[in-house]
Amino acid sequence: MDEMISLIYRGCTLARDLQLNLPNLANQPIDLARSCDEIARVFGSVRDRLNGTILLHEFQQQEWLRQLQPRVVVPEDPKGTFDIHGVPPESSRMEEVEQPRGGGEDASGSSRNSSFQRPRRRKDDANKRTIRVPAPRMGNTEIPPEDGHTWRKYGQKEILGSRFPRGYYRCTHQKLYNCNAKKQVQRLDDDPFTFEVTYRGEHACTISSTAPSVPPTSTDFVQNMAQQATTIQPPVSQGPPVSVPLGHWLSIDISHRNAGVSGAGTSSNRMVGSGGAGPSTVQLGRENEYQPVADLADTMFNSGSSSNNSMDIIFSSMEDKWEAGDKMN
DNA sequence: CCGATTTGACCCTG
DNA sequence: CAGGGTCAAATCGG
């Protein structure tokens, strides 16, 4: 374990060095990439050791984008698990059991007196799909991966037997489009670098302010986004069967993502924003400005934005981790 | 000012 | 009754 700690320290040192030299390295993408790669290697090594699942050399061989690819490993939840390849489940690929029970969504304002019984659904009432997606291995690992939709957090709860709280999200467009899609995000106990994301309900809004819900072509993407910005589309339950390699879509997403750090992490000893998938926005009109190195950095730090507080995020995040670790030990 | 997040309380389900 | 899911007031932040 000492070795692990020293590795982490080394990674942090490298990251700090990178931060300090950032102004100089900014004009030297090769060195920048090399530096990032080294940091990635160190933390990747730590992560791999912790997990004991992925070999270091395998990690080194993987592309960054590959690492963001959701790993679907939910053997213990056969009924709701499926492979979505980083895309939130849409009806086109949903074959889960649908158990309609009760009426509509609970979005209605409800009085809190006991005489009023608002319709409620248990978690297995709506069609429920669970996936596992890797958390960013570096940077702000508290941000769950983008899934192409904007979510608004409406609750967080400590779950019995889980070290990490569960975040509750609903679609940002719930009111606008009567979209009842929800998701729960929870970090795995045994693998803090993995989020278990449970989707419930379906998006009545096909739109997203972050990224497409299905991998589009880049032009589709821009057109789609442009359309979304100006029109309200009628509810469509099935997206077009666009088949674009995930890597392509991810590259689009990553290159444009402006991951919302979403004001999370304001208080220190709570897992605030553990599911910080808060609304993030995408920057349109930069379709052709894809820069591999910048993407690498974006991916690494998962800040996505060009803000220069990535390091702060990293270190604050690390400190939180260490604190948590201290408490555990 | 408005929308998002936080957070304690409420309430349903098992 | 315990635990999980949601509400909504307070708070935050752009």
Side-chain angles (χ1 to χ4, degrees), chain A residues 61-80:
Chain A
Q61 289 168 358
Q62 290 177 347
E63 302 172 42
W64 274 102
L65 295 179
R66 178 93 184 278
Q67 294 174 35
L68 290 182
Q69 202 163 347
R71 292 177 293 147
V72 179
V73 281
V74 198
E76 70 272 25
D77 186 16
K79 63 180 179 186

Side-chain angles (χ1 to χ4, degrees), chain A residues 53-241:
Chain A
T53 53
I54 305 175
L55 296 175
L56 176 58
H57 74 268
E58 182 184 342
F59 171 76
Q60 291 172 331
Q61 289 168 358
Q62 290 177 347
E63 302 172 42
W64 274 102
L65 295 179
R66 178 93 184 278
Q67 294 174 35
L68 290 182
Q69 202 163 347
R71 292 177 293 147
V72 179
V73 281
V74 198
E76 70 272 25
D77 186 16
K79 63 180 179 186
T81 301
F82 66 109
D83 184 348
I84 64 162
H85 296 294
V87 176
E90 296 295 340
S91 58
S92 60
R93 58 169 71 230
M94 290 195 312
E95 297 177 2
E96 278 71 28
V97 182
E98 189 166 0
Q99 300 174 335
R101 200 210 299 177
E105 187 46 73
D106 50 30
S108 62
S110 59
S111 67
R112 301 183 70 82
N113 62 48
S114 56
S115 63
F116 177 81
Q117 308 226 343
R118 65 168 175 272
R120 275 180 180 257
R121 288 181 180 173
R122 255 319 180 198
K123 57 185 174 184
D124 51 350
D125 283 349
N127 41 21
K128 168 186 160 188
R129 297 85 63 191
T130 302
I131 64 167
R132 290 186 182 182
V133 294
R137 300 185 188 188
M138 310 193 53
N140 191 347
T141 60
E142 316 223 330
I143 299 177
E146 298 253 346
D147 59 10
H149 286 277
T150 51
W151 300 93
R152 173 175 173 166
K153 190 173 188 176
Y154 66 89
Q156 174 171 299
K157 201 160 175 62
E158 298 288 337
I159 298 303
L160 205 75
S162 295
R163 286 159 48 197
F164 306 104
R166 177 178 300 165
Y168 298 90
Y169 300 84
R170 63 164 58 105
C171 181
T172 303
H173 312 295
Q174 183 191 44
K175 290 180 180 175
L176 200 58
Y177 302 114
N178 195 25
C179 178
N180 66 351
K182 293 177 185 172
K183 77 171 180 180
Q184 300 172 359
V185 177
Q186 180 157 30
R187 212 171 264 255
L188 296 182
D189 269 354
D190 52 351
D191 184 3
F193 287 91
T194 300
F195 288 111
E196 184 170 276
V197 183
T198 300
Y199 291 94
R200 288 196 280 155
E202 297 184 31
H203 282 280
C205 60
T206 56
I207 79 166
S208 154
S209 50
T210 54
S213 58
V214 292
T217 62
S218 54
T219 43
D220 286 343
F221 176 59
V222 171
Q223 287 172 355
N224 191 21
M225 296 300 292
Q227 194 173 9
Q228 289 166 12
T230 54
T231 65
I232 297 177
Q233 298 178 349
V236 176
S237 59
Q238 296 177 353

Side-chain angles (χ1 to χ4, degrees), chain A residues 140 142 265 310-321:
Chain A
N140 191 347
E142 316 223 330
S310 300
M311 291 301 175
D312 294 339
I313 294 172
I314 289 177
F315 293 123
S316 64
S317 178
M318 292 301 298
E319 284 161 8
D320 287 344
K321 289 290 175 298

Side-chain angles (χ1 to χ4, degrees), chain A residues 319-329:
Chain A
E319 284 161 8
D320 287 344
K321 289 290 175 298
W322 292 338
E323 282 182 17
D326 288 341
K327 287 173 186 171
M328 287 173 47
N329 297 332

Side-chain angles (χ1 to χ4, degrees), chain A residues 9-38:
Chain A
Y9 271 116
R10 169 157 173 72
C12 291
T13 302
L14 288 171
R16 283 197 172 95
D17 288 344
L18 175 61
Q19 182 185 22
L20 292 175
N21 291 325
L22 206 49
N24 300 330
L25 291 176
N27 297 326
Q28 304 176 35
I30 294 178
D31 289 339
L32 190 58
R34 189 175 300 145
S35 184
C36 292
D37 200 32
E38 178 63 19

